């Protein structure tokens, strides 16, 4: 099975975007009458037949629809941008494969990178979703300052954790994330840069109700820690 992803696809119209049409005809080499699968990235996968094969705009006839339900709870990963953007893209790819609901690039006190090209990272998301046959695309935001995220009231109903390597501030011992997470509850996880979160950021997070947690005794790079945290989140909600 090969999957095309077009967030603007309307089954009643059957028109495929120019980018996905080019991929369908020039890369997948589909021809009129072929069966193709297309998703809007919001849970639907349509089985279609190719009515018009044109790299500038394919037309599809919808045969059936499969709806992949949203998960019972959402996982939001707020991860510091890495100095080497390829490493952040690698994390985004893996997070998409693991069906994370939202990815927030973080700007922290110790960040060495504060900008990224959203369109470039979005292409990584789409490519990963195609390869792993995902009907849901994670929401990808512009970079956000950690100080602004900590004040965002939209996440007050979620369980919120900040992972860091410093001694605990708000508890005697930092629990392992695997032991600290509750099942089937919306979750926001914060992962810092190579230099970790600053003491001020950790203190501020704890004062606003964030819990501290560890990913184990090994010192992990940003993108590795983020993938480990994603995997733990999926294990809890398996």
């Amino acid at each position: 099975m090969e999957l095309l992803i077009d967030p603007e696809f309307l089954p009643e119209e059957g028109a495929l975007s120019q980018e996905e049409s080019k991929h369908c005809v020039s890369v997948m080499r589909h021809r009129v009458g072929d069966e193709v699968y297309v998703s809007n990235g919001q849970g639907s996968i349509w089985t279609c037949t190719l009515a018009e094969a044109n790299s500038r705009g394919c037309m599809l006839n919808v045969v059936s629809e499969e709806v992949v339900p949203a998960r019972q709870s959402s996982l939001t990963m707020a991860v510091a941008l890495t100095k080497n953007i390829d490493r952040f893209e690698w994390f985004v790819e893996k997070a998409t494969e693991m069906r994370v609901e939202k990815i927030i690039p973080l700007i922290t006190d110790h960040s060495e990178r504060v900008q990224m090209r959203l369109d470039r990272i979005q292409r990584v998301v789409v490519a990963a979703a195609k390869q792993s046959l995902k009907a849901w695309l994670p929401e990808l935001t512009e970079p956000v300052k950690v100080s602004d995220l900590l004040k965002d009231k939209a996440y007050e109903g979620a369980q919120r954790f900040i992972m860091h390597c410093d001694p605990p501030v708000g508890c005697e011992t930092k629990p392992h994330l695997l032991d600290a997470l509750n099942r089937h509850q919306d979750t926001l996880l914060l992962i810092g840069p190579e230099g970790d979160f600053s003491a001020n950021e950790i203190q501020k997070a704890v004062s606003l109700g964030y819990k501290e947690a560890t990913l184990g005794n090994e010192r992990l790079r940003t993108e590795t820690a983020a993938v480990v945290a994603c995997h733990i989140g999926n294990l809890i909600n398996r």
Side-chain angles (χ1 to χ4, degrees):
M1 178 180 174
E2 295 174 311
L3 186 64
L4 296 163
I5 295 181
D6 179 1
E8 305 301 322
F9 182 75
L10 298 174
E12 61 273 17
E13 296 181 5
L16 199 60
S17 69
Q18 182 174 344
E19 184 174 355
E20 287 304 271
S21 293
K22 182 178 180 180
H23 188 74
C24 178
V25 174
S26 301
V27 178
M28 295 179 171
R29 299 192 179 281
H30 283 302
R31 298 294 179 260
V32 171
D34 286 357
E35 186 174 76
V36 297
Y37 301 90
V38 59
S39 174
N40 61 358
Q42 295 297 313
S44 290
I45 297 179
W46 291 278
T47 300
C48 308
T49 56
L50 190 56
E52 182 179 332
N54 188 320
S55 60
R56 290 174 295 181
C58 290
M59 294 301 298
L60 308 177
N61 291 326
V62 174
V63 177
S64 62
E65 178 185 10
E66 175 190 357
V67 177
V68 179
R71 296 202 291 189
Q72 186 174 343
S73 56
S74 66
L75 174 58
T76 298
M77 295 297 304
V79 180
L81 285 168
T82 54
K83 182 178 180 180
N84 182 342
I85 196 63
D86 289 348
R87 295 186 178 277
F88 188 81
E89 290 177 358
W90 178 82
F91 154 68
V92 168
E93 178 184 79
K94 303 311 171 189
T96 302
E97 292 176 16
M98 289 187 279
R99 198 177 155 181
V100 166
E101 278 71 26
K102 189 172 184 178
I103 299 170
I104 303 174
L106 275 185
I107 300 171
T108 74
D109 289 344
H110 296 159
S111 290
E112 295 186 76
R113 174 183 288 274
V114 297
Q115 294 180 328
M116 70 173 202
R117 282 183 52 189
L118 186 64
D119 60 334
R120 171 173 165 164
I121 307 296
Q122 188 63 49
R123 286 196 292 272
V124 173
V125 168
V126 171
K130 288 180 180 179
Q131 290 292 326
S132 56
L133 303 179
K134 292 294 183 293
W136 288 91
L137 293 178
E139 178 186 352
L140 178 66
T141 75
E142 292 279 5
V144 175
K145 291 182 179 180
V146 67
S147 56
D148 291 334
L149 179 62
L150 292 177
K151 294 182 291 186
D152 193 337
K153 296 185 181 299
Y155 300 99
E156 287 186 349
Q159 52 183 339
R160 301 171 296 170
F161 287 88
I162 181 168
M163 263 65 65
H164 65 84
C165 299
D166 286 356
V169 174
C171 54
E172 291 186 6
T173 305
K174 286 185 294 184
H176 195 287
L177 184 63
L178 183 61
D179 300 319
L181 283 178
N182 296 320
R183 295 191 68 188
H184 305 311
Q185 184 177 343
D186 291 345
T187 303
L188 171 61
L189 303 180
L190 272 60
I191 305 290
E194 297 298 329
D196 209 347
F197 290 109
S198 68
N200 181 63
E201 288 169 334
I202 297 169
Q203 184 68 55
K204 184 65 174 178
V206 170
S207 71
L208 291 172
Y210 281 73
K211 297 179 181 179
E212 300 165 275
T214 177
L215 295 173
N217 296 325
E218 305 300 329
R219 194 172 186 89
L220 306 176
R221 301 189 72 150
T222 296
E223 69 278 8
T224 309
V227 168
V228 170
C230 283
H231 183 51
I232 290 173
N234 275 345
L235 283 176
I236 291 296
N237 289 307
R238 63 191 184 280

